Amino acid sequence: MKRAIQLAVACVAVLVATAGHLQAGMITSYDIDRARTTGFGGWAHTYDGSITSNGDGTYSYSGGSGTLNDSVIGTSTGNTHLFWVADNSEITLFLDNTYSGFSELRLYSFATGFNSIPGNIDSVDVTIGGVTETISTIGFGGPSFANDHAHELLLTGTALQSAVGNKIVLSNIVIDTAQIPNYYSISEVTFETSAAPVPEPSSLALLGMGGLG
């Protein structure tokens, strides 16, 4: 029983120690509703899940991973996903844990060499745990990530910060039509939180047992 109490205290200590510090979470897989396949416009991307035709030139991606979560920021049109605005694509990112304290999202295109179709994104509707907010983008980074190639979506101070969920949905992506009016591109998506992952029911039960002990 003493050991159970010690384990419960250790779990609480880990949660407290990690809370309040920004930490990167992991995107384990993603789905895309309505997007073009690799080769569209001469651009290439990878995906190891199911890709099903919608019969109108768009495809539905499901149950897999690929370019958007391979931990590789794009370097060319050969490893960046090109999207057509008219397709009204919706991206669902599945996370490795249930999180709260969402602080930011980052959408990368690529800035190495000539990129005629940059990230080009002005705002995105972000949905977490049933909560949706329209978030405007800001550019960030040094010379390798110019403002039009890497976009930051700040969630701190929005209702999304306190949302709890194990997936993030990106929809209604609005672009800067003054640059490239019909297209945008994404090579990688990352997110950060300011809270430890929400304990699973089994972990909560363990903590409860330790308290009773």
Tab-separated table of all heavy atoms in Angstrom, residues 12 37 43 56 62 83 98 100 115-116 122 126-127 141 185 196 200 205:
chain	number	residue	atom	x	y	z
A	12	VAL	N	1.319	12.653	-9.481
A	12	VAL	CA	0.884	14.033	-9.248
A	12	VAL	C	2.042	14.992	-9.430
A	12	VAL	O	1.907	16.066	-10.026
A	12	VAL	CB	0.286	14.184	-7.830
A	12	VAL	CG1	0.010	15.645	-7.527
A	12	VAL	CG2	-0.992	13.367	-7.716
A	37	THR	N	-4.702	14.721	-54.844
A	37	THR	CA	-3.679	13.712	-54.590
A	37	THR	C	-2.304	14.234	-55.000
A	37	THR	O	-2.176	15.280	-55.640
A	37	THR	CB	-3.971	12.413	-55.354
A	37	THR	OG1	-4.003	12.699	-56.763
A	37	THR	CG2	-5.289	11.821	-54.925
A	43	TRP	N	3.223	19.193	-57.666
A	43	TRP	CA	3.718	19.061	-56.296
A	43	TRP	C	3.512	17.620	-55.828
A	43	TRP	O	2.611	16.929	-56.289
A	43	TRP	CB	2.971	20.011	-55.365
A	43	TRP	CG	3.246	21.466	-55.603
A	43	TRP	CD1	3.223	22.123	-56.799
A	43	TRP	CD2	3.567	22.446	-54.621
A	43	TRP	NE1	3.504	23.455	-56.622
A	43	TRP	CE2	3.726	23.681	-55.296
A	43	TRP	CE3	3.731	22.413	-53.237
A	43	TRP	CZ2	4.040	24.860	-54.623
A	43	TRP	CZ3	4.042	23.583	-52.572
A	43	TRP	CH2	4.209	24.795	-53.261
A	56	ASP	N	-15.213	14.139	-57.896
A	56	ASP	CA	-15.226	15.504	-58.426
A	56	ASP	C	-13.819	16.084	-58.525
A	56	ASP	O	-13.634	17.293	-58.587
A	56	ASP	CB	-16.086	16.406	-57.524
A	56	ASP	CG	-15.584	16.437	-56.084
A	56	ASP	OD1	-14.592	15.748	-55.773
A	56	ASP	OD2	-16.190	17.166	-55.258
A	62	SER	N	-7.844	9.041	-45.179
A	62	SER	CA	-8.244	8.564	-43.856
A	62	SER	C	-7.325	7.454	-43.358
A	62	SER	O	-6.781	6.680	-44.142
A	62	SER	CB	-9.688	8.048	-43.871
A	62	SER	OG	-9.822	6.936	-44.735
A	83	PHE	N	-2.714	22.595	-51.765
A	83	PHE	CA	-4.169	22.603	-51.622
A	83	PHE	C	-4.774	23.656	-52.554
A	83	PHE	O	-4.194	24.729	-52.775
A	83	PHE	CB	-4.560	22.942	-50.180
A	83	PHE	CG	-4.210	21.880	-49.176
A	83	PHE	CD1	-2.957	21.867	-48.572
A	83	PHE	CD2	-5.133	20.904	-48.814
A	83	PHE	CE1	-2.630	20.901	-47.630
A	83	PHE	CE2	-4.813	19.929	-47.881
A	83	PHE	CZ	-3.543	19.932	-47.290
A	98	THR	N	-4.891	12.953	-24.886
A	98	THR	CA	-5.913	13.976	-24.682
A	98	THR	C	-5.248	15.148	-23.961
A	98	THR	O	-4.608	14.949	-22.922
A	98	THR	CB	-7.074	13.433	-23.836
A	98	THR	OG1	-7.697	12.350	-24.542
A	98	THR	CG2	-8.118	14.522	-23.586
A	100	SER	N	-5.170	19.525	-22.779
A	100	SER	CA	-5.804	20.816	-22.527
A	100	SER	C	-4.682	21.837	-22.529
A	100	SER	O	-3.520	21.502	-22.762
A	100	SER	CB	-6.539	20.809	-21.181
A	100	SER	OG	-5.621	20.637	-20.123
A	115	ASN	N	9.797	29.412	-53.946
A	115	ASN	CA	8.477	28.877	-53.619
A	115	ASN	C	7.436	29.831	-54.191
A	115	ASN	O	7.145	30.867	-53.609
A	115	ASN	CB	8.325	28.753	-52.101
A	115	ASN	CG	6.988	28.128	-51.710
A	115	ASN	OD1	6.167	27.821	-52.548
A	115	ASN	ND2	6.797	27.955	-50.421
A	116	SER	N	6.874	29.485	-55.333
A	116	SER	CA	5.914	30.375	-55.993
A	116	SER	C	4.552	30.359	-55.320
A	116	SER	O	3.749	31.248	-55.530
A	116	SER	CB	5.771	29.990	-57.464
A	116	SER	OG	5.307	28.659	-57.584
A	122	ASP	N	-4.239	33.246	-44.190
A	122	ASP	CA	-4.605	34.385	-43.347
A	122	ASP	C	-5.301	33.963	-42.062
A	122	ASP	O	-5.067	34.529	-41.005
A	122	ASP	CB	-5.525	35.350	-44.102
A	122	ASP	CG	-4.743	36.375	-44.913
A	122	ASP	OD1	-3.509	36.442	-44.751
A	122	ASP	OD2	-5.365	37.102	-45.707
A	126	VAL	N	-10.369	26.676	-36.137
A	126	VAL	CA	-9.768	25.595	-35.360
A	126	VAL	C	-10.825	25.042	-34.403
A	126	VAL	O	-11.463	25.800	-33.671
A	126	VAL	CB	-8.551	26.087	-34.565
A	126	VAL	CG1	-7.925	24.941	-33.761
A	126	VAL	CG2	-7.511	26.707	-35.500
A	127	THR	N	-11.009	23.721	-34.408
A	127	THR	CA	-11.984	23.069	-33.531
A	127	THR	C	-11.270	22.059	-32.638
A	127	THR	O	-10.550	21.193	-33.126
A	127	THR	CB	-13.070	22.348	-34.340
A	127	THR	OG1	-13.733	23.291	-35.192
A	127	THR	CG2	-14.095	21.699	-33.412
A	141	GLY	N	9.601	33.248	-37.127
A	141	GLY	CA	10.817	32.558	-37.523
A	141	GLY	C	11.854	33.470	-38.123
A	141	GLY	O	11.632	34.666	-38.338
A	185	SER	N	-0.175	25.963	-49.391
A	185	SER	CA	0.558	24.716	-49.215
A	185	SER	C	0.945	24.523	-47.752
A	185	SER	O	1.159	25.478	-47.017
A	185	SER	CB	1.824	24.701	-50.092
A	185	SER	OG	2.673	25.786	-49.762
A	196	ALA	N	0.078	19.359	-18.919
A	196	ALA	CA	0.379	17.954	-19.150
A	196	ALA	C	-0.828	17.279	-19.784
A	196	ALA	O	-1.961	17.759	-19.662
A	196	ALA	CB	0.722	17.270	-17.830
A	200	GLU	N	-5.593	9.429	-18.428
A	200	GLU	CA	-6.607	8.490	-18.870
A	200	GLU	C	-7.368	7.959	-17.651
A	200	GLU	O	-6.881	8.055	-16.528
A	200	GLU	CB	-5.954	7.329	-19.618
A	200	GLU	CG	-5.250	7.743	-20.891
A	200	GLU	CD	-6.211	8.311	-21.918
A	200	GLU	OE1	-7.364	7.817	-21.987
A	200	GLU	OE2	-5.831	9.247	-22.636
A	205	ALA	N	-7.842	6.281	-11.830
A	205	ALA	CA	-8.180	5.236	-10.868
A	205	ALA	C	-6.994	4.931	-9.971
A	205	ALA	O	-7.132	4.726	-8.769
A	205	ALA	CB	-8.628	3.970	-11.601
